Amino acid sequence: MPVASGTPQAATTAGRGNASFNAAAEMPTIDLLADDQDDFAPVAAGVITAGYGITEHTDIEASAEAALYFFLVPLPTGGSIGLRHHLVHADTYDVGIAARVGGVTVDDGDAGSASAVYGAASVVGQGAFGTFRPLVSGQLMPTMIDQQLGTSSDGSSTGLVASATVGLMFQVGQFQIGPYLTGTAFSSDAVERNGLVSGGLSFAYRPDRHAAAVVVPAAAPAPPSPASSGLPPTR
């Protein structure tokens, strides 16, 4: 059951009445059905997120998750919904926080199925140096897992995913794109502790909160007419 644990989303929000979009894919990924012999999923996982600004600094977000076989062929696995808040806005950096709840599932036909429900809380700090927007974030994701796959691990269990992400993002107009690395630790009732490092690519569209304001100069006042100035009209 592959799950993307990276958090490459920007620290800023879209702003009231504006929309945003983010797509990210990473590999390898944590397998929520891992045991001590098999701790990661050898496929990529992708997340597509759409956001909408309900206040100037808070967005509501909905995400769709998928396993990406050969990094291209998507197999939908679940989704989530949550909120993102732009906490600190400074000239050269931003800080944001996010929270969401969601679930993923896999169905192996006659072999059985498995599902997981999770909550996630994250914090992200991001620099703003012209087009270069480096990013550091962390996330905690507690999970509740239920599997019926005919193995000794069948039944309900709990787990915890903790991750840290470093991204090298670049802002081009309203678009932000860049690679990222994520270190992830995972523990559950079936696994004492597993960890891995994954790499990914993120692409986003959202208003640039650091774009220079366009100042339109005021028009010069028209010269007074001779009648209003009290002078005789020129010939």
Side-chain angles (χ1 to χ4, degrees):
M1 186 184 289
V3 172
S5 54
T7 48
Q9 293 82 4
T12 58
T13 52
R16 184 190 298 272
N18 295 322
S20 65
F21 171 85
N22 180 270
E26 63 188 62
M27 182 178 182
T29 58
I30 282 291
D31 183 359
L32 293 184
L33 303 182
D35 54 33
D36 288 325
Q37 288 75 44
D38 182 17
D39 58 358
F40 68 92
V43 298
V47 181
I48 295 177
T49 302
Y52 182 78
I54 55 177
T55 74
E56 190 60 28
H57 299 291
T58 303
D59 289 358
I60 186 170
E61 297 181 332
S63 300
E65 302 186 36
L68 300 175
Y69 291 91
F70 307 106
F71 218 82
L72 293 172
V73 182
L75 177 65
T77 56
S80 64
I81 189 168
L83 295 172
R84 182 172 302 274
H85 183 69
H86 190 184
L87 193 63
V88 177
H89 176 67
D91 290 340
T92 57
Y93 69 92
D94 296 277
V95 178
I97 55 176
R100 60 194 173 101
V101 292
V104 291
T105 185
V106 293
D107 191 338
D108 200 15
D110 294 339
S113 63
S115 61
V117 176
Y118 63 82
S122 60
V123 59
V124 54
Q126 187 171 21
F129 309 107
T131 59
F132 184 45
R133 307 288 172 92
L135 175 151
V136 177
S137 63
Q139 177 176 255
L140 288 176
M141 181 190 296
T143 64
M144 296 181 60
I145 307 162
D146 181 70
Q147 68 178 79
Q148 302 297 329
L149 296 172
T151 70
S152 58
S153 300
D154 277 0
S156 298
S157 61
T158 59
L160 179 65
V161 180
S163 64
T165 298
V166 176
L168 301 179
M169 304 301 169
F170 296 87
Q171 187 83 31
V172 181
Q174 304 297 307
F175 298 93
Q176 191 171 120
I177 186 171
Y180 64 93
L181 287 176
T182 298
T184 305
F186 172 54
S187 61
S188 71
D189 295 344
V191 181
E192 182 175 346
R193 186 179 64 183
N194 279 326
L196 80 160
V197 176
S198 55
L201 182 66
S202 175
F203 172 82
Y205 166 82
R206 70 179 61 231
D208 183 4
R209 291 300 188 97
H210 289 274
V214 177
V215 179
V216 179
S225 66
S228 64
S229 65
L231 297 175
T234 57
R235 298 183 180 273

PDB file of all heavy atoms in Angstrom, residues 3-45:
ATOM      1  N   VAL A   3       2.243   4.991  -0.047  1.00  0.00           N
ATOM      2  CA  VAL A   3       1.744   6.288   0.401  1.00  0.00           C
ATOM      3  C   VAL A   3       2.868   7.306   0.256  1.00  0.00           C
ATOM      4  O   VAL A   3       3.989   7.070   0.719  1.00  0.00           O
ATOM      5  CB  VAL A   3       1.267   6.241   1.861  1.00  0.00           C
ATOM      6  CG1 VAL A   3       0.927   7.639   2.361  1.00  0.00           C
ATOM      7  CG2 VAL A   3       0.054   5.335   2.005  1.00  0.00           C
ATOM      8  N   ALA A   4       2.568   8.441  -0.391  1.00  0.00           N
ATOM      9  CA  ALA A   4       3.550   9.513  -0.503  1.00  0.00           C
ATOM     10  C   ALA A   4       3.661  10.228   0.840  1.00  0.00           C
ATOM     11  O   ALA A   4       2.658  10.637   1.415  1.00  0.00           O
ATOM     12  CB  ALA A   4       3.133  10.494  -1.592  1.00  0.00           C
ATOM     13  N   SER A   5       4.882  10.372   1.335  1.00  0.00           N
ATOM     14  CA  SER A   5       5.093  11.006   2.638  1.00  0.00           C
ATOM     15  C   SER A   5       5.761  12.364   2.520  1.00  0.00           C
ATOM     16  O   SER A   5       5.897  13.081   3.505  1.00  0.00           O
ATOM     17  CB  SER A   5       5.925  10.096   3.550  1.00  0.00           C
ATOM     18  OG  SER A   5       7.135   9.726   2.902  1.00  0.00           O
ATOM     19  N   GLY A   6       6.210  12.755   1.326  1.00  0.00           N
ATOM     20  CA  GLY A   6       6.832  14.058   1.139  1.00  0.00           C
ATOM     21  C   GLY A   6       5.817  15.182   1.213  1.00  0.00           C
ATOM     22  O   GLY A   6       4.643  15.006   0.892  1.00  0.00           O
ATOM     23  N   THR A   7       6.278  16.364   1.651  1.00  0.00           N
ATOM     24  CA  THR A   7       5.403  17.539   1.747  1.00  0.00           C
ATOM     25  C   THR A   7       6.079  18.716   1.035  1.00  0.00           C
ATOM     26  O   THR A   7       6.574  19.639   1.683  1.00  0.00           O
ATOM     27  CB  THR A   7       5.102  17.892   3.215  1.00  0.00           C
ATOM     28  OG1 THR A   7       6.336  17.907   3.951  1.00  0.00           O
ATOM     29  CG2 THR A   7       4.175  16.873   3.838  1.00  0.00           C
ATOM     30  N   PRO A   8       6.080  18.691  -0.311  1.00  0.00           N
ATOM     31  CA  PRO A   8       6.749  19.768  -1.065  1.00  0.00           C
ATOM     32  C   PRO A   8       5.853  20.962  -1.357  1.00  0.00           C
ATOM     33  O   PRO A   8       6.246  21.849  -2.117  1.00  0.00           O
ATOM     34  CB  PRO A   8       7.133  19.047  -2.354  1.00  0.00           C
ATOM     35  CG  PRO A   8       5.999  18.088  -2.582  1.00  0.00           C
ATOM     36  CD  PRO A   8       5.613  17.609  -1.191  1.00  0.00           C
ATOM     37  N   GLN A   9       4.652  21.010  -0.789  1.00  0.00           N
ATOM     38  CA  GLN A   9       3.739  22.112  -1.074  1.00  0.00           C
ATOM     39  C   GLN A   9       4.282  23.428  -0.506  1.00  0.00           C
ATOM     40  O   GLN A   9       4.935  23.452   0.532  1.00  0.00           O
ATOM     41  CB  GLN A   9       2.352  21.826  -0.496  1.00  0.00           C
ATOM     42  CG  GLN A   9       1.624  20.673  -1.153  1.00  0.00           C
ATOM     43  CD  GLN A   9       2.052  19.319  -0.617  1.00  0.00           C
ATOM     44  OE1 GLN A   9       2.849  19.230   0.313  1.00  0.00           O
ATOM     45  NE2 GLN A   9       1.519  18.261  -1.192  1.00  0.00           N
ATOM     46  N   ALA A  10       3.971  24.522  -1.177  1.00  0.00           N
ATOM     47  CA  ALA A  10       4.472  25.840  -0.789  1.00  0.00           C
ATOM     48  C   ALA A  10       3.941  26.272   0.572  1.00  0.00           C
ATOM     49  O   ALA A  10       2.884  25.813   1.020  1.00  0.00           O
ATOM     50  CB  ALA A  10       4.092  26.870  -1.853  1.00  0.00           C
ATOM     51  N   ALA A  11       4.679  27.189   1.211  1.00  0.00           N
ATOM     52  CA  ALA A  11       4.257  27.705   2.512  1.00  0.00           C
ATOM     53  C   ALA A  11       3.140  28.725   2.378  1.00  0.00           C
ATOM     54  O   ALA A  11       2.438  29.001   3.350  1.00  0.00           O
ATOM     55  CB  ALA A  11       5.449  28.340   3.231  1.00  0.00           C
ATOM     56  N   THR A  12       2.967  29.301   1.193  1.00  0.00           N
ATOM     57  CA  THR A  12       1.948  30.327   1.010  1.00  0.00           C
ATOM     58  C   THR A  12       0.615  29.698   0.615  1.00  0.00           C
ATOM     59  O   THR A  12       0.540  28.525   0.252  1.00  0.00           O
ATOM     60  CB  THR A  12       2.362  31.318  -0.084  1.00  0.00           C
ATOM     61  OG1 THR A  12       2.589  30.600  -1.310  1.00  0.00           O
ATOM     62  CG2 THR A  12       3.631  32.046   0.312  1.00  0.00           C
ATOM     63  N   THR A  13      -0.433  30.502   0.687  1.00  0.00           N
ATOM     64  CA  THR A  13      -1.766  30.067   0.272  1.00  0.00           C
ATOM     65  C   THR A  13      -2.184  30.857  -0.965  1.00  0.00           C
ATOM     66  O   THR A  13      -1.491  31.772  -1.405  1.00  0.00           O
ATOM     67  CB  THR A  13      -2.778  30.283   1.403  1.00  0.00           C
ATOM     68  OG1 THR A  13      -2.692  31.641   1.856  1.00  0.00           O
ATOM     69  CG2 THR A  13      -2.494  29.342   2.563  1.00  0.00           C
ATOM     70  N   ALA A  14      -3.340  30.507  -1.512  1.00  0.00           N
ATOM     71  CA  ALA A  14      -3.798  31.151  -2.741  1.00  0.00           C
ATOM     72  C   ALA A  14      -4.395  32.524  -2.490  1.00  0.00           C
ATOM     73  O   ALA A  14      -4.351  33.394  -3.370  1.00  0.00           O
ATOM     74  CB  ALA A  14      -4.828  30.258  -3.436  1.00  0.00           C
ATOM     75  N   GLY A  15      -4.961  32.749  -1.301  1.00  0.00           N
ATOM     76  CA  GLY A  15      -5.640  34.013  -1.019  1.00  0.00           C
ATOM     77  C   GLY A  15      -7.135  33.908  -1.287  1.00  0.00           C
ATOM     78  O   GLY A  15      -7.591  33.095  -2.088  1.00  0.00           O
ATOM     79  N   ARG A  16      -7.900  34.721  -0.615  1.00  0.00           N
ATOM     80  CA  ARG A  16      -9.360  34.648  -0.688  1.00  0.00           C
ATOM     81  C   ARG A  16      -9.863  34.681  -2.132  1.00  0.00           C
ATOM     82  O   ARG A  16      -9.518  35.557  -2.925  1.00  0.00           O
ATOM     83  CB  ARG A  16      -9.982  35.814   0.073  1.00  0.00           C
ATOM     84  CG  ARG A  16     -11.518  35.758   0.138  1.00  0.00           C
ATOM     85  CD  ARG A  16     -12.096  37.056   0.693  1.00  0.00           C
ATOM     86  NE  ARG A  16     -11.651  37.297   2.061  1.00  0.00           N
ATOM     87  CZ  ARG A  16     -12.277  36.835   3.137  1.00  0.00           C
ATOM     88  NH1 ARG A  16     -13.361  36.086   2.999  1.00  0.00           N
ATOM     89  NH2 ARG A  16     -11.817  37.106   4.346  1.00  0.00           N
ATOM     90  N   GLY A  17     -10.682  33.684  -2.473  1.00  0.00           N
ATOM     91  CA  GLY A  17     -11.299  33.636  -3.784  1.00  0.00           C
ATOM     92  C   GLY A  17     -10.411  33.131  -4.901  1.00  0.00           C
ATOM     93  O   GLY A  17     -10.858  33.037  -6.048  1.00  0.00           O
ATOM     94  N   ASN A  18      -9.160  32.761  -4.607  1.00  0.00           N
ATOM     95  CA  ASN A  18      -8.236  32.262  -5.621  1.00  0.00           C
ATOM     96  C   ASN A  18      -8.081  30.749  -5.519  1.00  0.00           C
ATOM     97  O   ASN A  18      -8.275  30.157  -4.452  1.00  0.00           O
ATOM     98  CB  ASN A  18      -6.866  32.920  -5.482  1.00  0.00           C
ATOM     99  CG  ASN A  18      -6.913  34.401  -5.761  1.00  0.00           C
ATOM    100  OD1 ASN A  18      -7.637  34.848  -6.656  1.00  0.00           O
ATOM    101  ND2 ASN A  18      -6.165  35.181  -4.998  1.00  0.00           N
ATOM    102  N   ALA A  19      -7.718  30.129  -6.616  1.00  0.00           N
ATOM    103  CA  ALA A  19      -7.528  28.685  -6.668  1.00  0.00           C
ATOM    104  C   ALA A  19      -6.052  28.346  -6.817  1.00  0.00           C
ATOM    105  O   ALA A  19      -5.254  29.155  -7.306  1.00  0.00           O
ATOM    106  CB  ALA A  19      -8.325  28.082  -7.828  1.00  0.00           C
ATOM    107  N   SER A  20      -5.686  27.149  -6.383  1.00  0.00           N
ATOM    108  CA  SER A  20      -4.317  26.661  -6.528  1.00  0.00           C
ATOM    109  C   SER A  20      -4.343  25.200  -6.934  1.00  0.00           C
ATOM    110  O   SER A  20      -5.357  24.513  -6.792  1.00  0.00           O
ATOM    111  CB  SER A  20      -3.528  26.835  -5.219  1.00  0.00           C
ATOM    112  OG  SER A  20      -4.086  26.026  -4.186  1.00  0.00           O
ATOM    113  N   PHE A  21      -3.208  24.731  -7.436  1.00  0.00           N
ATOM    114  CA  PHE A  21      -3.084  23.348  -7.908  1.00  0.00           C
ATOM    115  C   PHE A  21      -1.673  22.882  -7.639  1.00  0.00           C
ATOM    116  O   PHE A  21      -0.707  23.633  -7.830  1.00  0.00           O
ATOM    117  CB  PHE A  21      -3.391  23.279  -9.406  1.00  0.00           C
ATOM    118  CG  PHE A  21      -3.080  21.949 -10.035  1.00  0.00           C
ATOM    119  CD1 PHE A  21      -4.010  20.921 -10.002  1.00  0.00           C
ATOM    120  CD2 PHE A  21      -1.863  21.722 -10.656  1.00  0.00           C
ATOM    121  CE1 PHE A  21      -3.723  19.690 -10.576  1.00  0.00           C
ATOM    122  CE2 PHE A  21      -1.572  20.500 -11.231  1.00  0.00           C
ATOM    123  CZ  PHE A  21      -2.504  19.487 -11.191  1.00  0.00           C
ATOM    124  N   ASN A  22      -1.537  21.633  -7.175  1.00  0.00           N
ATOM    125  CA  ASN A  22      -0.214  21.050  -6.956  1.00  0.00           C
ATOM    126  C   ASN A  22      -0.232  19.590  -7.350  1.00  0.00           C
ATOM    127  O   ASN A  22      -1.176  18.859  -7.028  1.00  0.00           O
ATOM    128  CB  ASN A  22       0.201  21.197  -5.483  1.00  0.00           C
ATOM    129  CG  ASN A  22       1.578  20.612  -5.216  1.00  0.00           C
ATOM    130  OD1 ASN A  22       1.716  19.433  -4.884  1.00  0.00           O
ATOM    131  ND2 ASN A  22       2.609  21.417  -5.374  1.00  0.00           N
ATOM    132  N   ALA A  23       0.806  19.158  -8.065  1.00  0.00           N
ATOM    133  CA  ALA A  23       0.983  17.751  -8.410  1.00  0.00           C
ATOM    134  C   ALA A  23       2.399  17.342  -8.030  1.00  0.00           C
ATOM    135  O   ALA A  23       3.359  18.055  -8.346  1.00  0.00           O
ATOM    136  CB  ALA A  23       0.748  17.526  -9.905  1.00  0.00           C
ATOM    137  N   ALA A  24       2.523  16.229  -7.313  1.00  0.00           N
ATOM    138  CA  ALA A  24       3.829  15.742  -6.874  1.00  0.00           C
ATOM    139  C   ALA A  24       3.880  14.229  -7.016  1.00  0.00           C
ATOM    140  O   ALA A  24       2.869  13.542  -6.832  1.00  0.00           O
ATOM    141  CB  ALA A  24       4.104  16.151  -5.430  1.00  0.00           C
ATOM    142  N   ALA A  25       5.062  13.729  -7.353  1.00  0.00           N
ATOM    143  CA  ALA A  25       5.275  12.281  -7.453  1.00  0.00           C
ATOM    144  C   ALA A  25       6.631  11.952  -6.863  1.00  0.00           C
ATOM    145  O   ALA A  25       7.593  12.706  -7.057  1.00  0.00           O
ATOM    146  CB  ALA A  25       5.193  11.824  -8.903  1.00  0.00           C
ATOM    147  N   GLU A  26       6.704  10.829  -6.137  1.00  0.00           N
ATOM    148  CA  GLU A  26       7.962  10.441  -5.499  1.00  0.00           C
ATOM    149  C   GLU A  26       8.138   8.927  -5.510  1.00  0.00           C
ATOM    150  O   GLU A  26       7.171   8.181  -5.660  1.00  0.00           O
ATOM    151  CB  GLU A  26       8.016  10.958  -4.067  1.00  0.00           C
ATOM    152  CG  GLU A  26       6.939  10.373  -3.157  1.00  0.00           C
ATOM    153  CD  GLU A  26       6.905  11.054  -1.800  1.00  0.00           C
ATOM    154  OE1 GLU A  26       6.637  12.263  -1.744  1.00  0.00           O
ATOM    155  OE2 GLU A  26       7.156  10.353  -0.800  1.00  0.00           O
ATOM    156  N   MET A  27       9.392   8.505  -5.349  1.00  0.00           N
ATOM    157  CA  MET A  27       9.718   7.076  -5.374  1.00  0.00           C
ATOM    158  C   MET A  27      11.065   6.874  -4.682  1.00  0.00           C
ATOM    159  O   MET A  27      11.959   7.704  -4.844  1.00  0.00           O
ATOM    160  CB  MET A  27       9.765   6.592  -6.827  1.00  0.00           C
ATOM    161  CG  MET A  27      10.037   5.123  -6.993  1.00  0.00           C
ATOM    162  SD  MET A  27      10.026   4.648  -8.768  1.00  0.00           S
ATOM    163  CE  MET A  27      10.311   2.875  -8.571  1.00  0.00           C
ATOM    164  N   PRO A  28      11.257   5.766  -3.927  1.00  0.00           N
ATOM    165  CA  PRO A  28      10.249   4.786  -3.505  1.00  0.00           C
ATOM    166  C   PRO A  28       9.379   5.370  -2.401  1.00  0.00           C
ATOM    167  O   PRO A  28       9.613   6.500  -1.953  1.00  0.00           O
ATOM    168  CB  PRO A  28      11.098   3.631  -2.982  1.00  0.00           C
ATOM    169  CG  PRO A  28      12.336   4.301  -2.465  1.00  0.00           C
ATOM    170  CD  PRO A  28      12.587   5.453  -3.403  1.00  0.00           C
ATOM    171  N   THR A  29       8.401   4.616  -1.942  1.00  0.00           N
ATOM    172  CA  THR A  29       7.462   5.114  -0.952  1.00  0.00           C
ATOM    173  C   THR A  29       7.288   4.106   0.185  1.00  0.00           C
ATOM    174  O   THR A  29       7.565   2.917   0.034  1.00  0.00           O
ATOM    175  CB  THR A  29       6.087   5.380  -1.585  1.00  0.00           C
ATOM    176  OG1 THR A  29       5.597   4.172  -2.184  1.00  0.00           O
ATOM    177  CG2 THR A  29       6.172   6.474  -2.634  1.00  0.00           C
ATOM    178  N   ILE A  30       6.813   4.630   1.316  1.00  0.00           N
ATOM    179  CA  ILE A  30       6.478   3.779   2.452  1.00  0.00           C
ATOM    180  C   ILE A  30       5.324   2.853   2.068  1.00  0.00           C
ATOM    181  O   ILE A  30       4.377   3.246   1.390  1.00  0.00           O
ATOM    182  CB  ILE A  30       6.086   4.646   3.661  1.00  0.00           C
ATOM    183  CG1 ILE A  30       7.352   5.206   4.308  1.00  0.00           C
ATOM    184  CG2 ILE A  30       5.265   3.885   4.669  1.00  0.00           C
ATOM    185  CD1 ILE A  30       8.207   4.156   4.989  1.00  0.00           C
ATOM    186  N   ASP A  31       5.418   1.598   2.519  1.00  0.00           N
ATOM    187  CA  ASP A  31       4.332   0.633   2.338  1.00  0.00           C
ATOM    188  C   ASP A  31       3.657   0.434   3.694  1.00  0.00           C
ATOM    189  O   ASP A  31       4.267  -0.080   4.629  1.00  0.00           O
ATOM    190  CB  ASP A  31       4.897  -0.684   1.819  1.00  0.00           C
ATOM    191  CG  ASP A  31       3.813  -1.715   1.550  1.00  0.00           C
ATOM    192  OD1 ASP A  31       2.626  -1.413   1.791  1.00  0.00           O
ATOM    193  OD2 ASP A  31       4.154  -2.831   1.099  1.00  0.00           O
ATOM    194  N   LEU A  32       2.402   0.862   3.805  1.00  0.00           N
ATOM    195  CA  LEU A  32       1.701   0.744   5.089  1.00  0.00           C
ATOM    196  C   LEU A  32       1.450  -0.700   5.497  1.00  0.00           C
ATOM    197  O   LEU A  32       1.084  -0.966   6.643  1.00  0.00           O
ATOM    198  CB  LEU A  32       0.375   1.508   5.041  1.00  0.00           C
ATOM    199  CG  LEU A  32       0.470   3.031   4.929  1.00  0.00           C
ATOM    200  CD1 LEU A  32      -0.908   3.652   4.995  1.00  0.00           C
ATOM    201  CD2 LEU A  32       1.360   3.611   6.016  1.00  0.00           C
ATOM    202  N   LEU A  33       1.622  -1.643   4.565  1.00  0.00           N
ATOM    203  CA  LEU A  33       1.480  -3.064   4.888  1.00  0.00           C
ATOM    204  C   LEU A  33       2.834  -3.733   5.084  1.00  0.00           C
ATOM    205  O   LEU A  33       2.955  -4.952   4.985  1.00  0.00           O
ATOM    206  CB  LEU A  33       0.700  -3.781   3.777  1.00  0.00           C
ATOM    207  CG  LEU A  33      -0.685  -3.226   3.467  1.00  0.00           C
ATOM    208  CD1 LEU A  33      -1.357  -4.062   2.387  1.00  0.00           C
ATOM    209  CD2 LEU A  33      -1.544  -3.189   4.720  1.00  0.00           C
ATOM    210  N   ALA A  34       3.844  -2.924   5.348  1.00  0.00           N
ATOM    211  CA  ALA A  34       5.199  -3.451   5.450  1.00  0.00           C
ATOM    212  C   ALA A  34       5.337  -4.418   6.615  1.00  0.00           C
ATOM    213  O   ALA A  34       4.642  -4.335   7.618  1.00  0.00           O
ATOM    214  CB  ALA A  34       6.189  -2.302   5.617  1.00  0.00           C
ATOM    215  N   ASP A  35       6.277  -5.341   6.448  1.00  0.00           N
ATOM    216  CA  ASP A  35       6.740  -6.172   7.558  1.00  0.00           C
ATOM    217  C   ASP A  35       8.249  -5.988   7.649  1.00  0.00           C
ATOM    218  O   ASP A  35       8.838  -5.172   6.951  1.00  0.00           O
ATOM    219  CB  ASP A  35       6.350  -7.640   7.375  1.00  0.00           C
ATOM    220  CG  ASP A  35       6.818  -8.203   6.039  1.00  0.00           C
ATOM    221  OD1 ASP A  35       7.888  -7.773   5.548  1.00  0.00           O
ATOM    222  OD2 ASP A  35       6.112  -9.067   5.480  1.00  0.00           O
ATOM    223  N   ASP A  36       8.888  -6.760   8.515  1.00  0.00           N
ATOM    224  CA  ASP A  36      10.328  -6.559   8.729  1.00  0.00           C
ATOM    225  C   ASP A  36      11.166  -6.964   7.523  1.00  0.00           C
ATOM    226  O   ASP A  36      12.332  -6.619   7.440  1.00  0.00           O
ATOM    227  CB  ASP A  36      10.787  -7.347   9.959  1.00  0.00           C
ATOM    228  CG  ASP A  36      10.285  -6.710  11.246  1.00  0.00           C
ATOM    229  OD1 ASP A  36      10.219  -5.459  11.282  1.00  0.00           O
ATOM    230  OD2 ASP A  36       9.939  -7.443  12.186  1.00  0.00           O
ATOM    231  N   GLN A  37      10.602  -7.717   6.586  1.00  0.00           N
ATOM    232  CA  GLN A  37      11.360  -8.120   5.408  1.00  0.00           C
ATOM    233  C   GLN A  37      11.072  -7.219   4.199  1.00  0.00           C
ATOM    234  O   GLN A  37      11.842  -7.167   3.258  1.00  0.00           O
ATOM    235  CB  GLN A  37      11.019  -9.570   5.016  1.00  0.00           C
ATOM    236  CG  GLN A  37      11.586 -10.617   5.968  1.00  0.00           C
ATOM    237  CD  GLN A  37      10.818 -10.673   7.277  1.00  0.00           C
ATOM    238  OE1 GLN A  37       9.604 -10.642   7.283  1.00  0.00           O
ATOM    239  NE2 GLN A  37      11.551 -10.765   8.374  1.00  0.00           N
ATOM    240  N   ASP A  38       9.993  -6.500   4.203  1.00  0.00           N
ATOM    241  CA  ASP A  38       9.586  -5.710   3.047  1.00  0.00           C
ATOM    242  C   ASP A  38       9.045  -4.386   3.559  1.00  0.00           C
ATOM    243  O   ASP A  38       7.898  -4.290   3.969  1.00  0.00           O
ATOM    244  CB  ASP A  38       8.506  -6.460   2.246  1.00  0.00           C
ATOM    245  CG  ASP A  38       8.087  -5.706   0.996  1.00  0.00           C
ATOM    246  OD1 ASP A  38       8.839  -4.805   0.584  1.00  0.00           O
ATOM    247  OD2 ASP A  38       7.025  -6.037   0.449  1.00  0.00           O
ATOM    248  N   ASP A  39       9.903  -3.331   3.530  1.00  0.00           N
ATOM    249  CA  ASP A  39       9.533  -2.105   4.213  1.00  0.00           C
ATOM    250  C   ASP A  39       9.174  -0.951   3.295  1.00  0.00           C
ATOM    251  O   ASP A  39       8.853   0.126   3.771  1.00  0.00           O
ATOM    252  CB  ASP A  39      10.652  -1.662   5.165  1.00  0.00           C
ATOM    253  CG  ASP A  39      11.967  -1.451   4.424  1.00  0.00           C
ATOM    254  OD1 ASP A  39      12.010  -1.691   3.209  1.00  0.00           O
ATOM    255  OD2 ASP A  39      12.942  -1.040   5.079  1.00  0.00           O
ATOM    256  N   PHE A  40       9.245  -1.145   1.971  1.00  0.00           N
ATOM    257  CA  PHE A  40       8.866  -0.052   1.094  1.00  0.00           C
ATOM    258  C   PHE A  40       8.202  -0.596  -0.155  1.00  0.00           C
ATOM    259  O   PHE A  40       8.296  -1.782  -0.490  1.00  0.00           O
ATOM    260  CB  PHE A  40      10.085   0.806   0.730  1.00  0.00           C
ATOM    261  CG  PHE A  40      11.091   0.101  -0.142  1.00  0.00           C
ATOM    262  CD1 PHE A  40      11.020   0.185  -1.529  1.00  0.00           C
ATOM    263  CD2 PHE A  40      12.129  -0.633   0.423  1.00  0.00           C
ATOM    264  CE1 PHE A  40      11.951  -0.450  -2.336  1.00  0.00           C
ATOM    265  CE2 PHE A  40      13.053  -1.283  -0.373  1.00  0.00           C
ATOM    266  CZ  PHE A  40      12.967  -1.195  -1.752  1.00  0.00           C
ATOM    267  N   ALA A  41       7.499   0.299  -0.860  1.00  0.00           N
ATOM    268  CA  ALA A  41       6.793  -0.073  -2.081  1.00  0.00           C
ATOM    269  C   ALA A  41       7.648   0.346  -3.279  1.00  0.00           C
ATOM    270  O   ALA A  41       7.998   1.520  -3.407  1.00  0.00           O
ATOM    271  CB  ALA A  41       5.433   0.612  -2.141  1.00  0.00           C
ATOM    272  N   PRO A  42       7.997  -0.594  -4.169  1.00  0.00           N
ATOM    273  CA  PRO A  42       8.873  -0.273  -5.302  1.00  0.00           C
ATOM    274  C   PRO A  42       8.118   0.396  -6.446  1.00  0.00           C
ATOM    275  O   PRO A  42       8.365   0.116  -7.610  1.00  0.00           O
ATOM    276  CB  PRO A  42       9.407  -1.645  -5.694  1.00  0.00           C
ATOM    277  CG  PRO A  42       8.305  -2.586  -5.363  1.00  0.00           C
ATOM    278  CD  PRO A  42       7.648  -2.019  -4.122  1.00  0.00           C
ATOM    279  N   VAL A  43       7.188   1.259  -6.137  1.00  0.00           N
ATOM    280  CA  VAL A  43       6.461   2.031  -7.150  1.00  0.00           C
ATOM    281  C   VAL A  43       6.429   3.483  -6.696  1.00  0.00           C
ATOM    282  O   VAL A  43       6.650   3.790  -5.524  1.00  0.00           O
ATOM    283  CB  VAL A  43       5.018   1.521  -7.355  1.00  0.00           C
ATOM    284  CG1 VAL A  43       5.020   0.091  -7.850  1.00  0.00           C
ATOM    285  CG2 VAL A  43       4.212   1.639  -6.067  1.00  0.00           C
ATOM    286  N   ALA A  44       6.162   4.379  -7.633  1.00  0.00           N
ATOM    287  CA  ALA A  44       6.021   5.791  -7.291  1.00  0.00           C
ATOM    288  C   ALA A  44       4.612   6.042  -6.766  1.00  0.00           C
ATOM    289  O   ALA A  44       3.679   5.302  -7.074  1.00  0.00           O
ATOM    290  CB  ALA A  44       6.300   6.659  -8.509  1.00  0.00           C
ATOM    291  N   ALA A  45       4.482   7.079  -5.992  1.00  0.00           N
ATOM    292  CA  ALA A  45       3.171   7.516  -5.514  1.00  0.00           C
ATOM    293  C   ALA A  45       2.993   8.970  -5.912  1.00  0.00           C
ATOM    294  O   ALA A  45       3.929   9.769  -5.831  1.00  0.00           O
ATOM    295  CB  ALA A  45       3.048   7.350  -4.008  1.00  0.00           C
TER     296      ALA A  45
END
